[in-house]
Amino acid sequence: MAEDIRAKLGRYKTAPFDSRFPNQNQTRNCWQNYLDFQRCQRAMAARGADVTPCQWYFRVYKSLCPTSWVTAWDEAREEGTFPGKI
């Protein structure tokens, strides 16, 4: 499984089409992939498993989200004021 994910990451160019977010505005897509990355990191760390599968979400949200948003969300997580459920 890890090899499949590594192969997909190697071919990765930008965020693929996601049928949950069919409209042009990709704000929710950005938000959801940021949350999915944080959840994945936490779940894999709790199991002591390899976090490589989480890199998919990381690359998607990095290509969709403005850097200022990500910085603000990271700061809010550190302060304990992040509004999302991780």
Side-chain angles (χ1 to χ4, degrees):
M1 179 176 165
E3 288 115 21
D4 293 338
I5 292 170
R6 286 191 183 109
K8 285 182 181 179
L9 286 172
R11 293 188 308 267
Y12 182 86
K13 298 282 188 241
T14 188
F17 176 75
D18 189 338
S19 61
R20 297 176 297 170
F21 311 101
N23 300 322
Q24 289 179 344
N25 187 343
Q26 293 295 300
T27 303
R28 286 188 180 171
N29 193 355
C30 158
W31 172 255
Q32 188 60 51
N33 279 287
Y34 181 83
L35 289 178
D36 288 344
F37 173 70
Q38 300 302 328
R39 290 173 183 154
C40 181
Q41 289 279 91
R42 182 174 285 180
M44 293 300 202
R47 288 189 222 158
D50 183 23
V51 295
T52 303
C54 303
Q55 290 302 308
W56 176 259
Y57 301 117
F58 175 79
R59 289 180 127 178
V60 171
Y61 91 72
K62 280 292 192 182
S63 70
L64 291 174
C65 301
T67 307
S68 61
W69 292 4
V70 174
T71 303
W73 294 339
D74 288 340
E75 290 172 0
R77 276 188 320 106
E78 291 171 9
E79 295 168 2
T81 60
F82 185 71
K85 294 182 181 178
I86 297 177

